[in-house]
Every structure is written in C-alpha cells, then in structure tokens.
Amino acid sequence: SDYEQLSYNLRSNLFQGGPLKSRSLMKDSYTPDIIQKAVIDPKNWHGRRISELGRWYEKYFLDHNVQKAMKDKYG
C-alpha cells in the first residue's frame, strides 16, 4: 500500500530533505553588482518615511481610542 511504501522510503532515507544551499529569486534575477549597490535606507521604508508611518499610526490609534470611548459612553 501507499503507507508501506512511504514508511519504507522514510526508513531507507530516500527523502533527504531540502538542498543545503538555498537560492533566492533576487540573487538569481540580478547581477552581483546590482545587489552590492543596493543600500537599505532605514529612513525610507517601502517608499514611506518612518516619520510619516509613525504619524499614520498615531492618527490611527487616536481614532481607534476615540471610537472605543464613544462606544463605552453611548453604547
């Protein structure tokens, strides 16, 4: 049966796991000089600056707290 064949393959170590060296799509897609030139800017996160993101979260939580207080007060 399928279960016996699977257990035999597991016991005889035919399934040895994944490759020891992993590959990434970025490394396969670009030449090494492009990857070396890429600089991670901590102030720029996916096109948004951290300060803008922080202001967005501040407004979001302020609105969330106001809505929660309104719900507690008026039901």
Side-chain angles (χ1 to χ4, degrees):
S1 74
D2 292 337
Y3 291 111
E4 291 174 4
Q5 188 173 359
L6 179 64
S7 67
Y8 171 76
N9 290 336
L10 288 171
R11 281 182 280 136
S12 61
N13 199 18
L14 292 178
F15 302 126
Q16 297 178 11
L20 296 176
K21 183 179 177 186
S22 63
R23 300 178 61 127
S24 74
L25 182 62
M26 182 177 171
K27 287 183 180 178
D28 290 343
S29 301
Y30 297 103
T31 57
D33 60 321
I34 297 295
I35 295 171
Q36 290 172 355
K37 289 179 188 175
V39 177
I40 298 172
D41 185 10
K43 294 182 181 178
N44 191 4
W45 182 74
H46 292 287
R48 293 184 178 162
R49 303 185 80 199
I50 296 294
S51 58
E52 292 172 6
L53 191 64
R55 276 189 245 125
W56 184 88
Y57 272 109
E58 187 178 355
K59 289 178 186 177
Y60 170 75
F61 283 114
L62 181 65
D63 181 55
H64 184 70
N65 290 338
V66 167
Q67 293 218 358
K68 193 192 305 185
M70 295 276 283
K71 185 177 179 184
D72 290 343
K73 187 171 183 177
Y74 298 111

